[in-house]
């Protein structure tokens, strides 16, 4: 984990020459085109036992969190709260930021503080975690390592994965970090994220991400007993 922290600081500090101007420019765009507040703050789980008031650019209308949340949206099949990219809740600057993959740039502040990592599973609000735990008792495994700005799920696209697939990827990443971490794992995920956002690389599929984690881990990926039970219980077409 110390190597991972060094990687986080190295990327955040050396890339400051790029992300600080982007942060300032994007803030001005949101302010002029959408008004205040520029940032959206909410309490999110970032690791087991630790919740942080995270920050990101506001990409939706001001009352979006009251219109769409786990209280107002029925849980039907999907327990992650994935808002469609064509939702009318997005503002014009918000669509631009989402398209460029810049929404979470302000969270580099959390990385510098040691609250988050560059690469990891995305932070989640408490209401979503409670819904996940109702069906997946092992949902907390996704926070065995710190949450990140980007992660292996982003190499596929959250809307292209079922809840069980997403949790299996997230759990596999955490176990790889804890039991066989190699710096090139985070470097590959980060670089692949940039290339996919820039449309220079095609998104991976579920198996492609699992294979990537295997290739960049010191030892073969450790499957938990829960994961084995889950995979054995679902049709093979769901994990292909």
């Amino acid at each position: 984990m110390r190597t991972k922290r060094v990687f986080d600081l190295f990327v955040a500090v050396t890339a400051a020459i790029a992300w600080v101007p982007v942060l300032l420019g994007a803030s001005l765009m949101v302010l002029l085109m959408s008004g205040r507040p520029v940032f959206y703050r909410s309490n999110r789980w970032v690791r087991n036992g630790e919740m942080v008031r995270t920050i990101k650019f506001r990409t939706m209308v001001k009352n979006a969190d009251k219109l769409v949340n786990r209280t107002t949206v029925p849980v039907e099949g999907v327990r992650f709260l994935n808002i469609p990219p064509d939702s009318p809740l997005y503002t014009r600057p918000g669509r631009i930021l989402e398209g460029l993959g810049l929404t979470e740039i302000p969270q580099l502040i959390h990385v510098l503080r040691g609250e988050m990592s560059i690469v990891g599973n995305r932070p989640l609000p408490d209401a979503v975690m409670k819904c996940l735990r109702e069906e997946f008792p092992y949902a907390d495994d996704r926070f065995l390592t710190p949450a990140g700005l980007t992660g292996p799920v982003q190499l596929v696209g959250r809307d292209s994965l079922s809840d069980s697939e997403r949790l299996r990827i997230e759990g596999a990443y955490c176990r790889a970090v804890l039991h066989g971490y190699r710096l090139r794992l985070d470097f590959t995920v980060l670089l692949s994220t940039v290339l996919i956002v820039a449309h220079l690389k095609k998104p991976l599929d579920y198996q492609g991400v699992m294979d990537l984690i295997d290739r960049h881990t010191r030892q073969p990926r450790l499957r938990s007993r829960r994961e084995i039970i889950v995979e054995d219980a679902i049709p093979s077409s769901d994990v292909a």
Side-chain angles (χ1 to χ4, degrees):
M1 294 294 286
R2 179 177 296 179
T3 303
K4 185 174 176 64
R5 178 61 180 155
V6 171
F7 175 79
D8 290 340
L9 291 174
F10 176 79
V11 172
V13 173
T14 57
I17 192 172
W19 68 261
V20 170
V22 169
L23 177 67
L24 296 175
S27 299
L28 183 61
M29 179 182 71
V30 174
L31 178 63
L32 295 178
M33 297 177 65
S34 187
R36 297 177 183 274
V38 171
F39 302 106
Y40 174 71
R41 295 176 174 84
S42 62
N43 292 324
R44 303 284 175 112
W45 289 105
V46 295
R47 68 179 76 189
N48 286 336
E50 184 176 351
M51 182 175 278
V52 170
R53 189 164 180 78
T54 59
I55 182 174
K56 65 179 182 177
F57 283 118
R58 180 173 65 86
T59 59
M60 299 185 182
V61 296
K62 297 178 182 179
N63 62 340
D65 56 343
K66 295 181 175 59
L67 297 173
V68 180
N69 55 57
R70 267 292 163 241
T71 301
T72 63
V73 177
V75 178
E76 297 179 353
V78 178
R79 294 176 184 270
F80 282 99
L81 186 59
N82 297 331
I83 300 174
D86 60 350
S87 170
L89 294 175
Y90 284 103
T91 62
R92 184 181 176 189
R95 292 186 187 281
I96 296 174
L97 292 173
E98 287 282 342
L100 295 174
L102 300 177
T103 307
E104 280 80 29
I105 285 292
Q107 291 180 359
L108 280 162
I109 299 299
H110 298 300
V111 174
L112 292 172
R113 292 175 179 171
E115 297 165 338
M116 290 178 59
S117 181
I118 293 290
V119 178
N121 301 319
R122 292 294 300 145
L124 287 180
D126 191 53
V128 173
M129 281 303 299
K130 287 180 179 177
C131 283
L132 286 169
R133 292 186 189 109
E134 290 175 358
E135 184 173 348
F136 306 103
Y138 54 90
D140 285 304
D141 287 358
R142 72 185 304 279
F143 286 129
L144 291 173
T145 58
L149 272 69
T150 187
V153 165
Q154 280 62 47
L155 304 186
V156 182
R158 62 189 185 185
D159 296 324
S160 301
L161 294 167
S162 67
D163 286 351
S164 60
E165 288 175 328
R166 179 170 176 173
L167 286 172
R168 287 198 297 276
I169 288 175
E170 292 173 336
Y173 172 80
C174 289
R175 287 187 289 277
V177 171
L178 291 174
H179 301 294
Y181 180 71
R182 280 181 174 176
L183 192 61
R184 68 184 188 184
L185 173 60
D186 280 0
F187 177 78
T188 302
V189 171
L190 179 60
L191 178 61
S192 297
T193 299
V194 174
L195 294 177
I196 289 171
V197 170
H199 302 289
L200 297 175
K201 180 177 181 177
K202 292 182 179 180
L204 303 181
D205 58 13
Y206 166 82
Q207 192 57 51
V209 174
M210 294 298 250
D211 290 343
L212 181 149
I213 293 172
D214 275 348
R215 287 197 306 271
H216 299 292
T217 304
R218 285 198 181 95
Q219 55 190 18
R221 180 174 57 86
L222 299 176
R223 292 197 307 160
S224 68
R225 181 173 178 273
R226 293 166 179 165
E227 184 181 6
I228 294 171
I229 292 173
V230 170
E231 290 190 358
D232 288 345
I234 61 177
S236 57
S237 59
D238 189 34
V239 296

